[in-house]
Amino acid sequence: SFPGSIKGGLVYRGNGFPNYLQEAYIFADSVRGWIKYLKFDESGNPIDYNPSTPTMDAFPLIIGNIGELVAIEQGTDGALYYLKFDTGELMQIDYRLTPSSTNSELVLTGLNIPVSMESLSDGRILILEKGGDIQITDPIATVPTLNQYLHITDIDDSGERGLLDITLDPDFATNGFFYAVSYTHLRAH
């Protein structure tokens, strides 16, 4: 048995990949170095990629070094993006016909310990950094750049502490609200 680090993903509903990825659940394991997807039949049961094995196997999307992937997001353009915690990079999955030829392309670098992201309806992406910054970028711009959207102060980001996740309010388009989750260890005295 090998260690793993499964990152929950998303149900794909875009138009940037073939139809067989519609309604597929896309997820990753950064330790084993892959991004895979699950398909489901009409009754909602998972379809086994390799029925000859005793375990349920997911379909491969990318097999190879994906780095310390921490988040996967679908852009409004139908593209799939992911964040690399270890290198501070935003990547785009470049679909090819087979998992061995499907790869990732660098969109931008310069993030400081990215942990989560959310796509906005105008195509831009909000990226949450562990230490308190929320960056914004347009991944389909000719030259994507990072711009600080907001800085949250007094974040203890030592060790396992810091901001962990960001999610948009269901009415974000009209009210601009989002929610950031922080972990702070309460020290006993």
Side-chain angles (χ1 to χ4, degrees), residues 23-62:
E23 302 298 321
Y25 179 71
I26 299 170
F27 63 105
D29 184 331
S30 57
V31 171
R32 294 182 179 155
W34 52 252
I35 299 173
K36 295 184 178 184
Y37 62 96
L38 288 172
K39 290 291 292 178
F40 301 90
D41 64 20
E42 303 80 35
S43 301
N45 299 310
I47 300 169
D48 194 346
Y49 171 69
N50 187 359
S52 65
T53 65
T55 59
M56 172 63 68
D57 296 302
F59 293 80
L61 186 58
I62 294 181

Side-chain angles (χ1 to χ4, degrees), residues 143-183:
V143 180
T145 58
L146 284 176
N147 296 291
Q148 188 176 63
Y149 184 77
L150 180 69
H151 176 74
I152 302 171
T153 59
D154 299 324
I155 299 296
D156 177 1
D157 65 344
S158 59
E160 296 282 326
R161 300 176 196 97
L163 295 175
L164 301 174
D165 201 4
I166 187 169
T167 191
L168 302 179
D169 185 273
D171 294 322
F172 178 84
T174 56
N175 65 21
F177 293 173
F178 62 87
Y179 308 97
V181 177
S182 173
Y183 171 73

Side-chain angles (χ1 to χ4, degrees), residues 89-92 104-109:
E89 296 170 333
L90 175 64
M91 307 296 291
Q92 179 179 347
S104 302
E105 294 182 0
L106 178 67
V107 174
L108 60 85
T109 189

